[in-house]
């Protein structure tokens, strides 16, 4: 019978034939009316004449008898057609309901037949095929278009004219008569559709297509206001419509309901085009907008209402810019408290937990949109509703981190904060702060309270592998980047341990590794001794300082590291100024007149101050070692601040010690560096007014130095600098950039080396002042380049002048002259070739200098000489390496250091030999082998290192020496007591194998087995881990060599042989 009813509905909704369409071309409306009437007449005729429609006819009559709304003698053809559709739909609904009830009764356990596992369960009778659903869809479309939408008030729902051209034609086709009759028709259609929706199979067809139209009709029937005396429906009917609407809204999927309510509410009023139809752009009436707003607020206040709102607006988007704008719009909606809400506090108390839940979705696409909404909502609340945000958003958000500061040992559990809670908390803070990236004062202030805990967690994650490391680091960097400078400096002082700690991790608790790569807060076990606790504290403080420096190193384009550095220097200066007063107070203090408690408090106060000074010095030392100077002093103002702290400390030193007494050497060099830096800044081109304004802070210190410093040169330079700064460059001495305090002691042995050359060129060696000016001209220029190195290939000075400057006591001048002499040797300068013996002596003497800048330049020069004149120079170098320095002026007490430096020269010379190594390297091999028997372990290790470097380049010429070298290395590996020497011996074997590569099996064929056994002996027996590591690396090299030898690479080659 279901098929028969569907067939009857198909007859009623059958489309026009092709012939009818062409005949009705002049008037589509008349053609449609004719088709509706013809289909209705054909249906009634077949129901009366055909026997297969007998049951359908009876069921239709039963439904017709109970339908008080049916009017058989209506003159409206469209309403007559709608009535027939409604009768058939109700008949189908009644039939399916009866069949479903019988099916459920027959499916009870007592009546059920036994089924095998392979059998499919029987289908319920209300399941419709695709064709049947299509037919029902057409009937429902006719019912809604002809019996519901035309009777809606203007502005209620979406007009048919906006849906399609056919809808516009249908809208004009329906006759709209008196209002009471139209309201009754609307009520009738709505009741029938609601009756159909009681059956699940039909409800799907109704709600998926026409939910919005049904909601619009119910809203109009139940809530549309009328004038007194013109109410069309009874109070009971209106109340029934209201209850029906509430039931419908609770039954349907909430995002769909919200979407339809938003459509019904409509947007803001828009001005239509000139001459356009006013009905096409009619705005929703005020009562409907108010009703929809109230219903939306009720939906929002339901459980998971926020999620439903977000899904309704964002579902189906492609993730483009429009979706992001929708996310921001939803966030603004959530933050705005609706007028229907009883109180703002109750509203935010209800929705804020739901907003935080949006951050925890796992699906990537959904999570991205939901997180955007949650982030924008939280940030908007923090800015606009800070009190509610603090109470209902930020406090729950940071609860896990706050609990880390208040944890206690009460209870049996050893874990105070679980891994999942801590992970979720850190990830939520990262999403809101870093991803949202909208800093505000309340957010930064709240985040500052938990920064110590986040930093402690970050330090913990740096010690192991954890997915929390990057979020913690980004949160810390975000705060330091966006916070005010004063607040950021205060936080840095607290994190570095220089300021009293607050909001730290609770005592006796620490972070431990979690099972899923995170961390949890657990109770700390008690240390066995006081020494262990002290070591743990000191090592922890050191590690925190290093981690803080790593954070500051990430702030590439930020002034915070430099400002923090200057702040610490200022504090160091204040400590130095207070030290003298403390000393005087201690001298005046009468311990005999104090009680034991007062003495103890006094001693504890001193110890605390000393501890603070040590902590300050430690942070400064780690900061200088870890951060580049370009990061510490990025701007001119920071450089001026740095110099200001140096000058202030120098002035404090003048007050404490009158005269060139203790620590004068270090202080003088530091002061010279600072004043030279100021002179360089003043020599820069086009200094601005702001630069001079920042330098004006140096005037009091420069005045003090110019009047009180014991050295005359420093007084003069300070006076000149003060004059230039005060006059903004109007007064500028000619020798401003060349003035620098010099050490009055001279090295006579260096002057004797170049005495003859200097006399020939008539260089005024005895004129100390002019020589200083001469050396100053090759100093550092304002742009960071040396004036003498503008053209390194063609120095502007003669060769003899460079020899003189290489004897200067000033370290930068001498080092630069040595570099220039090295370049002349490499470029085969004729004067350098002629005076190569003097240059060699000069380099050898500077090799003994204590400053690394000097002796490294000398090493480079000696290597260049050995590369240019190997036959003559190498013999001298080998002699000095083997027996110590041969110069009469050499310091015999530092002979070992000089020999090690000579070893560095020989290693560089070995690298530079290239293809000449087989020809020049045999004497070096002999000396290095003899050096392995030297009494000093450093010489033995140096000889082995040089031997390994040289053997890599000997190739086949190593064959005759292979046996001797192998015997030496094997003996050292097995008998040497010093681990450093054994490491060097194993490293020689690794270097040898790496250098020979595929030639190993040819060159070392006789000794390869001995080398392999020696390496295996190291792996099995040597207790030194580094030696074992080198042995493993050597064995890997040997393994690669043998694999390539046994399994050579197969090359596909085509050979062409010319036959005779």
């Amino acid at each position: 019978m279901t098929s028969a009813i569907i067939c009857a509905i198909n007859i009623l909704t059958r489309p026009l034939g092709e012939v009818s369409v062409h005949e009705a071309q002049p008037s589509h409306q008349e053609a449609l009316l004719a088709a509706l009437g013809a289909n209705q007449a054909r249906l009634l005729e077949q129901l009366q004449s055909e026997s297969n429609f007998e049951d359908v006819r009876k069921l239709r009559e039963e439904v017709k008898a109970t339908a008080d709304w049916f009017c058989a003698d209506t003159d409206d053809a469209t309403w007559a057609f709608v009535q027939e559709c409604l009768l058939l739909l109700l008949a189908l609904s009644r039939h399916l309901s009866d069949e479903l009830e019988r099916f459920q009764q027959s499916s009870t356990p007592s009546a059920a037949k036994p089924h095998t596992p392979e059998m499919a369960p029987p289908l319920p009778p209300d399941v419709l095929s695709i064709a049947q659903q299509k037919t029902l869809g057409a009937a429902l479309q006719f019912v809604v278009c002809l019996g519901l939408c035309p009777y809606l008030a203007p502005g209620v729902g979406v007009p048919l004219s906006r849906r399609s051209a056919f809808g516009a034609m249908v809208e004009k086709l329906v006759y709209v008569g008196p209002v009471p009759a139209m309201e009754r028709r609307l009520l009738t259609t709505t009741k029938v559709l609601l009756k159909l929706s009681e059956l699940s199979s039909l409800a799907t067809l109704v709600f998926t297509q026409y939910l919005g139209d049904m909601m619009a009709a119910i809203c109009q029937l139940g809530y549309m206001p009328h004038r007194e005396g013109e109410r069309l429906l009874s109070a009971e009917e209106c109340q029934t419509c209201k209850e029906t609407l509430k039931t419908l809204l609770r039954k349907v999927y909430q995002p769909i309901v919200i979407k339809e309510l938003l459509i019904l509410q409509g947007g803001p009023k828009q001005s239509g085009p000139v001459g356009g139809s006013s009905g096409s752009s009619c705005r929703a009436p005020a009562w409907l907008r108010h009703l929809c707003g109230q219903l939306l607020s009720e939906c929002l206040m339901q459980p998971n209402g926020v999620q439903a709102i977000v899904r309704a607006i964002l579902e189906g988007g492609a993730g483009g810019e429009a979706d992001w704008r929708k996310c921001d719009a939803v966030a603004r909606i959530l933050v705005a408290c609706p007028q229907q809400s009883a109180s703002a506090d109750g509203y935010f108390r209800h929705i804020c937990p739901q907003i935080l839940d949006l951050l925890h979705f796992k699906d990537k696409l959904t999570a991205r949109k939901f997180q955007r909404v949650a982030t924008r909502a939280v940030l908007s609340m923090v800015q606009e509703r800070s009190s509610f945000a603090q109470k209902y958003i930020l406090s729950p958000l940071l609860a896990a981190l706050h609990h880390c500061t208040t944890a206690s040992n009460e209870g049996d559990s050893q874990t105070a904060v679980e891994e999942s809670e801590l992970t979720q908390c850190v990830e939520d803070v990262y999403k809101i702060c870093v991803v949202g990236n909208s800093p505000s004062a309340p957010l930064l202030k709240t985040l500052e309270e938990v920064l110590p805990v986040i930093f402690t967690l970050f330090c913990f994650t740096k010690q192991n592998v954890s997915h929390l490391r990057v979020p913690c680091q980004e949160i810390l960097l975000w705060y330091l980047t966006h916070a005010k400078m004063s607040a950021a400096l205060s936080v840095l002082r607290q994190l570095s341990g220089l300021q009293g700690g607050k909001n730290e991790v609770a005592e006796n608790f620490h972070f431990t590794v979690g099972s899923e790569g995170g961390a949890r807060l657990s109770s700390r076990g008690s240390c066995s001794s006081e020494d262990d606790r002290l070591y743990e504290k000191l090592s922890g403080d050191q590690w925190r300082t290093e981690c803080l420096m790593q954070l500051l190193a990430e702030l590439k384009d930020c002034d915070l590291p430099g400002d923090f550095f200057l702040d610490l220097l200022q504090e160091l200066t204040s400590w130095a100024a207070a030290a003298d007063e403390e000393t005087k107070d201690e001298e005046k203090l009468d311990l005999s007149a104090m009680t034991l408690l007062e003495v103890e408090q006094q001693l504890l106060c001193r110890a605390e101050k000393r501890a603070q000074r040590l902590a300050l010095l430690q942070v400064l030392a780690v900061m200088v070692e870890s951060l580049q100077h370009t990061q510490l002093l990025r701007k001119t103002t920071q450089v001026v601040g740095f110099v200001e702290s140096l000058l202030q400390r120098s002035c404090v030193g003048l007050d404490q010690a009158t005269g060139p007494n203790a620590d004068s050497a270090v202080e003088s060099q530091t002061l010279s560096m600072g004043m030279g830096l100021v002179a360089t800044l003043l020599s820069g081109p086009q200094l601005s007014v702001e630069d001079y304004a920042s330098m004006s802070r140096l005037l009091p210190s420069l005045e003090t130095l110019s009047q009180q410093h014991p050295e005359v040169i420093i007084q003069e330079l300070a006076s000149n600098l003060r004059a230039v700064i005060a006059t903004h460059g109007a007064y500028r001495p000619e020798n401003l950039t060349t003035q620098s305090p010099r050490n009055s002691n001279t090295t006579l042995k260096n002057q004797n080396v170049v005495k003859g050359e200097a006399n020939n060129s008539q260089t005024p060696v005895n004129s100390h002042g002019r020589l200083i000016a001469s050396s100053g001209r090759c100093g550092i220029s304002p742009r960071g380049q040396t004036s003498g190195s503008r053209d390194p290939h063609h120095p502007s000075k003669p060769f003899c002048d460079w020899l003189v400057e290489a004897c200067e006591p000033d370290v930068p001048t001498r080092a630069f002259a040595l570099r220039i002499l090295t370049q002349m040797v490499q470029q085969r300068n004729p004067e350098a070739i002629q005076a190569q013996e003097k240059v060699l002596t000069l380099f050898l003497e500077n090799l003994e200098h204590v400053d690394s800048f000097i002796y490294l330049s000398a090493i480079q020069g000696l290597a260049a000489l050995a590369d240019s004149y190997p036959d003559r120079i190498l013999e001298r170098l080998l002699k000095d390496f083997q027996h110590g320095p041969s110069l009469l002026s050499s310091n015999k007490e530092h002979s070992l250091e000089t020999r090690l430096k000579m070893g560095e020269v020989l290693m560089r010379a070995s690298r530079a030999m290239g293809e000449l190594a087989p020809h020049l390297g045999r004497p070096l091999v002999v000396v290095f082998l003899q050096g392995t028997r030297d009494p000093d372990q450093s010489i033995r290790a140096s000889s082995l290192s040089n031997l390994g470097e040289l053997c890599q380049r000997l190739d086949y010429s190593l064959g005759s020496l292979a046996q001797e070298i192998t015997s030496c290395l094997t003996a050292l590996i097995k008998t040497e007591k010093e681990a450093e020497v054994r490491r060097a011996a194993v490293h020689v074997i690794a270097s040898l194998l790496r250098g020979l590569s595929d030639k190993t099996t040819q060159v070392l064929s006789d000794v390869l087995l001995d080398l392999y056994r020696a390496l295996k002996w190291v792996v099995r027996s040597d207790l030194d881990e580094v030696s074992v590591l080198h042995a493993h690396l050597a064995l890997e090299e040997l393994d690669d060599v043998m694999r390539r030898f046994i399994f050579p690479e197969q090359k596909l080659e085509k050979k062409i042989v010319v036959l005779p």
Side-chain angles (χ1 to χ4, degrees):
M1 186 175 178
T2 302
S3 301
I5 298 176
I6 296 296
C7 184
I9 294 175
N10 187 30
I11 294 174
L12 187 62
T13 59
R14 184 175 300 170
L16 293 173
E18 294 294 332
V19 177
S20 300
V21 171
H22 289 295
E23 292 176 355
Q25 186 87 14
S27 176
H28 292 285
Q29 297 179 3
E30 294 178 1
L32 181 58
L33 286 174
L36 295 178
N39 287 349
Q40 184 179 0
R42 188 180 301 108
L43 172 64
L44 294 177
E45 180 183 354
Q46 291 187 9
L47 288 177
Q48 296 294 334
S49 61
E50 296 186 9
S51 59
N52 54 345
F53 286 119
E54 182 68 21
D55 295 336
V56 177
R57 184 181 60 79
K58 293 181 180 180
L59 185 58
R60 175 182 175 277
E61 294 297 331
E62 294 177 2
V63 172
K64 180 179 177 181
T66 58
D68 55 352
W69 45 265
F70 186 80
C71 181
D73 56 351
T74 179
D75 295 333
D76 190 351
T78 57
W79 179 244
F81 181 82
V82 170
Q83 288 185 124
E84 288 298 330
C85 290
L86 295 178
L87 288 177
L88 291 178
L89 290 174
L90 287 174
L92 177 63
S93 175
R94 177 178 296 184
H95 169 69
L96 292 179
S97 299
D98 295 341
E99 292 293 327
L100 186 61
E101 183 178 359
R102 286 193 294 269
F103 174 78
Q104 293 174 350
Q105 292 177 356
S106 64
S107 299
T108 57
S110 59
K113 298 180 179 179
H115 294 283
T116 61
E118 293 81 7
M119 293 179 62
L123 288 175
D126 63 340
V127 176
L128 303 176
S129 66
I130 301 298
Q132 292 173 344
Q133 292 182 15
K134 184 178 180 180
T135 301
L136 287 178
L140 291 173
Q141 184 177 5
F142 274 113
V143 168
V144 173
C145 291
L146 299 177
L148 190 147
C149 291
Y151 307 126
L152 293 175
V156 179
V158 180
L160 289 176
S161 57
R162 289 190 177 182
R163 304 185 189 186
S164 64
F166 177 76
M169 183 186 68
V170 171
E171 193 174 36
K172 298 177 182 179
L173 178 67
V174 178
Y175 170 74
V176 180
V179 175
M182 301 303 103
E183 289 289 331
R184 283 294 169 186
R185 291 181 181 182
L186 180 62
L187 179 62
T188 298
T189 305
T190 304
K191 283 184 176 180
V192 173
L193 292 177
L194 290 173
K195 182 67 176 177
L196 295 178
S197 65
E198 294 178 357
L199 197 63
S200 60
S201 58
L202 299 180
T204 303
L205 296 174
V206 174
F207 288 152
T208 53
Q209 297 292 331
Y210 308 110
L211 176 63
D213 296 323
M214 292 180 61
M215 291 174 59
I218 297 173
C219 289
Q220 178 174 328
L221 294 171
Y223 293 93
M224 183 176 177
H226 296 278
R227 296 178 181 177
E228 296 182 2
E230 294 184 0
R231 180 168 294 278
L232 308 177
L233 302 180
S234 63
E236 292 79 6
E237 290 175 330
C238 291
Q239 185 64 30
T240 302
C241 291
K242 295 178 181 179
E243 296 295 333
T244 302
L245 180 62
K246 293 181 179 180
T247 304
L248 181 64
L249 296 183
R250 287 195 302 266
K251 183 169 62 175
V252 182
Y253 181 53
Q254 286 300 298
I256 297 179
V257 170
I258 294 171
K259 186 181 297 185
E260 296 298 339
L261 287 175
L262 290 173
I263 294 175
L264 285 178
Q265 191 178 31
K269 185 176 181 180
Q270 299 178 357
S271 58
V274 179
S277 175
S278 61
S280 61
S281 61
C282 185
R283 191 186 181 196
W287 66 267
L288 182 59
R289 295 197 305 272
H290 178 76
L291 174 63
C292 291
Q294 183 177 358
L295 295 176
L296 286 172
S297 300
E298 293 177 0
C299 293
L300 180 61
M301 297 300 290
Q302 292 180 0
N304 297 324
V306 172
Q307 185 183 144
I309 290 283
V310 176
R311 288 187 181 276
I313 298 177
L314 299 183
E315 274 188 346
E321 182 181 357
D323 279 356
W324 296 125
R325 293 180 178 177
K326 289 181 181 178
C327 292
D328 296 342
V330 174
R332 290 194 297 270
I333 291 173
L334 296 177
V335 173
C337 179
Q339 298 178 356
Q340 296 81 3
S341 180
S343 66
D345 184 86
Y347 171 76
F348 288 113
R349 183 174 63 251
H350 181 76
I351 70 162
C352 286
Q354 299 186 47
I355 293 176
L356 292 179
D357 289 339
L358 297 179
L359 297 170
H360 306 146
F361 281 84
K362 301 301 181 183
D363 180 65
K364 290 185 178 180
L365 182 60
T366 304
R368 189 178 305 171
K369 297 178 180 179
F370 281 23
Q371 289 171 13
R372 171 78 177 187
V373 173
T375 300
R376 298 308 306 169
V378 170
L379 295 175
S380 299
M381 279 194 63
V382 170
Q383 294 177 355
E384 302 172 10
R385 304 271 188 162
S386 58
S387 59
F388 293 120
Q390 181 67 38
K391 186 176 181 181
Y392 298 119
I393 289 287
L394 297 180
S395 294
L397 178 70
L398 304 174
L401 295 175
H402 282 299
H403 189 50
C404 292
T405 63
T406 59
S408 62
N409 288 318
E410 298 178 359
D412 299 332
S413 177
Q414 295 293 323
T415 302
V417 180
E418 295 293 340
E419 178 185 7
S420 57
E421 298 177 11
L422 198 58
T423 299
Q424 179 175 302
C425 179
V426 172
E427 291 179 349
D428 290 350
V429 174
Y430 173 80
K431 294 171 185 175
I432 291 175
C433 295
V434 181
V435 178
N437 195 22
S438 180
S440 60
L443 181 61
L444 292 171
K445 183 179 180 181
T446 305
L447 183 61
E448 182 180 344
E449 298 176 358
V450 296
L451 276 185
V453 180
I454 298 177
F455 179 69
T456 304
L457 179 59
F458 170 71
C459 296
F460 169 75
T461 58
K462 292 288 288 184
Q463 295 175 334
N464 49 66
V465 178
S466 176
H467 59 80
L468 295 179
R469 180 189 303 173
V470 174
C472 290
Q473 176 177 326
E474 293 298 327
I475 292 170
L476 292 168
L477 292 177
W478 181 83
Y479 176 84
L480 295 176
T481 304
H482 294 89
K484 294 183 179 179
M485 187 60 66
S486 58
L489 291 176
S490 177
V491 168
L492 287 178
R493 295 181 65 85
Q494 181 180 354
L495 298 182
S496 60
L498 300 178
Q499 188 172 308
K502 58 180 181 179
N503 298 324
E504 296 283 352
V505 176
E507 190 177 0
N508 297 327
F509 283 88
H510 67 146
F511 290 109
T512 57
V513 178
S515 59
E516 297 181 358
R520 61 175 182 267
L521 188 70
S522 305
S523 178
R524 186 195 304 271
S526 59
C527 295
S528 58
S529 64
E530 186 69 24
D531 293 340
D532 293 340
R533 285 194 293 271
L534 179 60
Y535 173 77
E536 185 176 353
K537 181 181 183 305
L538 293 178
S539 60
D541 293 344
Q542 178 68 21
W543 178 246
R544 287 172 64 89
T545 304
E546 294 178 2
C547 292
L548 182 61
M549 294 307 114
Q550 294 177 15
L551 275 179
L552 294 178
E554 296 295 329
L555 299 173
K556 303 295 184 183
D557 300 325
C558 182
D559 298 335
L560 182 60
D563 292 341
F564 182 52
F565 178 63
L566 296 178
D567 185 61
L568 297 182
L569 289 179
Q570 290 294 335
E571 183 177 358
L572 183 63
T573 303
S574 64
W575 280 115
D580 187 31
E581 298 179 3
E582 293 178 3
T583 304
K584 295 179 181 179
D585 293 340
E586 292 176 3
E587 293 176 354
K588 297 178 181 180
L589 192 62
D590 186 9
L591 297 179
S592 61
M594 301 172 63
T595 63
L596 291 177
L597 182 59
E598 292 176 346
V599 172
E600 183 180 1
Q601 292 177 351
Q602 186 71 19
L603 294 176
L604 289 177
C605 182
R606 295 179 189 174
E608 184 179 356
K609 290 182 179 180
R610 292 192 181 97
Q612 291 178 355
R613 295 176 186 177
L614 289 176
L616 175 62
L617 292 175
Q618 180 190 11
V619 174
L620 275 173
V622 176
M623 197 170 190
V624 172
E625 292 177 359
S626 304
L627 302 181
Q628 299 288 337
H629 68 279
T630 54
Q631 190 174 9
L632 293 177
L633 304 175
R634 294 181 64 246
K635 302 187 304 183
T636 303
T637 54
Q638 292 179 336
V639 176
V640 172
F642 172 68
V643 175
E644 182 184 9
S645 64
L646 294 181
L647 299 181
Q648 288 177 354
R649 284 201 301 277
S650 299
C651 294
V652 171
L654 293 177
D655 296 336
Q656 294 179 357
T658 58
N661 291 10
D663 301 332
S664 60
V666 177
E667 293 179 0
S668 297
Q669 291 182 6
T670 306
L671 183 59
S672 301
M673 186 256 308
M675 299 179 73
L677 195 55
V678 177
T680 302
L681 290 175
L682 292 174
S683 302
Q686 298 179 354
L687 287 176
S688 62
V689 178
E690 291 77 8
D691 294 335
Y692 282 112
S694 63
M695 291 184 189
S696 62
R697 297 179 297 172
L698 306 177
L699 293 177
S701 300
L702 290 174
E703 183 177 5
T704 302
L705 291 173
S706 64
Q707 295 175 359
Q708 300 181 12
H709 200 276
E711 297 187 16
V712 179
I713 298 180
I714 290 182
Q715 290 183 3
E716 294 179 357
L717 182 57
S719 178
N720 290 337
L721 292 176
R722 179 173 174 271
V724 175
I725 295 174
T727 60
H728 285 202
Y731 168 76
R732 185 182 297 272
E734 296 181 358
N735 59 345
L736 178 64
T737 59
T738 62
Q739 276 188 329
S740 62
R742 305 286 185 177
N743 188 356
S744 60
N745 299 325
T746 59
T747 54
L748 297 178
K749 59 180 181 180
N750 288 340
Q751 289 187 358
N752 293 332
V753 173
V754 296
K755 183 176 180 181
E757 192 72 27
N759 290 334
N760 294 335
S761 59
Q762 298 180 359
T763 302
V765 179
N766 297 327
S767 179
H768 184 65
R770 293 181 62 186
L771 188 57
I772 290 175
S774 175
S775 63
R777 285 193 297 270
C778 66
I780 304 299
S781 69
R783 296 183 181 273
Q785 299 177 348
T786 56
S787 59
S789 61
R790 295 177 182 173
D791 189 2
H793 299 284
H794 301 283
S796 58
K797 295 182 182 180
F799 176 74
C800 59
D801 286 357
W802 294 117
L803 288 177
V804 171
E805 293 195 0
C807 303
E808 275 291 327
D810 184 55
V811 171
T813 303
R814 180 188 294 190
F816 182 72
L818 292 175
R819 295 298 176 96
I820 294 297
L821 292 176
T822 301
Q823 293 178 7
M824 290 182 175
V825 171
Q826 292 173 342
Q827 298 164 11
R828 304 284 181 153
N829 185 280
E831 294 180 335
I833 295 175
Q834 184 179 1
Q836 61 177 273
E837 190 64 31
K838 295 179 181 180
V839 175
L840 174 62
T841 305
L842 186 64
F843 284 146
L844 289 174
E845 288 184 349
N846 283 280
L847 192 64
E848 303 178 23
H849 201 281
V850 296
D851 192 284
S852 60
F853 199 18
I854 298 295
Y855 70 72
L856 287 177
S857 300
I859 288 174
Q860 185 177 359
L862 289 173
L865 279 174
D867 183 38
S868 302
Y869 316 105
D871 294 333
R872 300 180 61 256
I873 304 301
L874 280 179
E875 182 180 356
R876 175 72 177 274
L877 298 181
L878 290 173
K879 181 179 178 181
D880 286 2
F881 176 73
Q882 193 171 11
H883 303 291
S886 58
L887 295 177
L888 297 177
S889 58
S890 298
N891 190 346
K892 302 303 181 183
E893 296 179 359
H894 300 88
S895 175
L896 176 60
E897 299 178 6
T898 306
R899 292 178 65 189
L900 292 175
K901 296 174 184 177
M902 190 62 68
E904 174 70 19
V905 175
L906 292 175
M907 185 179 68
R908 296 192 181 191
S910 300
R911 292 176 180 173
M913 286 181 183
E915 297 181 356
L916 292 178
H919 174 66
L920 302 173
R922 186 172 293 270
L924 276 72
V925 173
V926 174
V927 173
F928 293 154
L929 288 175
Q930 292 176 358
T932 59
R933 299 195 300 269
D934 194 272
D936 189 273
Q937 62 178 16
S938 300
I939 298 297
R940 297 200 299 272
S942 177
S943 300
L944 288 171
S945 178
N946 292 343
L947 183 63
E949 194 71 33
L950 182 60
C951 287
Q952 294 186 58
R953 293 162 175 79
L954 292 180
D955 288 343
Y956 291 102
S957 63
L958 187 63
S960 58
L961 301 172
Q963 191 67 47
E964 186 176 357
I965 293 175
T966 303
S967 301
C968 177
L969 296 177
T970 305
L972 289 173
I973 287 173
K974 296 182 178 181
T975 61
E976 177 62 51
K977 296 181 180 180
E978 300 294 337
E980 182 181 2
V981 181
R982 296 200 306 275
R983 297 173 189 172
V986 178
H987 180 66
V988 171
I989 300 177
S991 301
L992 190 60
L993 296 174
R994 191 180 303 111
L996 292 175
S997 187
D998 294 337
K999 305 173 187 176
T1000 302
T1001 54
Q1002 302 176 29
V1003 178
L1004 303 179
S1005 58
D1006 297 334
V1007 297
L1008 199 56
L1009 181 59
D1010 296 334
L1011 294 176
Y1012 172 75
R1013 289 173 177 171
L1015 294 174
K1016 295 296 289 183
W1017 188 91
V1018 173
V1019 172
R1020 291 193 302 266
S1021 306
D1022 203 312
L1023 300 179
D1024 184 52
E1025 296 182 356
V1026 180
S1027 300
V1028 174
L1029 175 61
H1030 284 311
H1032 278 299
L1033 296 177
L1035 287 172
E1036 290 179 4
E1037 291 288 343
L1038 183 58
D1039 181 68
D1040 293 340
V1041 170
M1042 297 310 298
R1043 285 181 183 274
R1044 291 194 299 268
F1045 176 73
I1046 298 174
F1047 307 105
E1049 183 181 358
Q1050 299 294 329
K1051 295 183 180 180
L1052 300 178
E1053 297 179 348
K1054 182 182 293 184
K1055 294 184 179 181
I1056 301 176
V1057 180
V1058 180
L1059 298 177

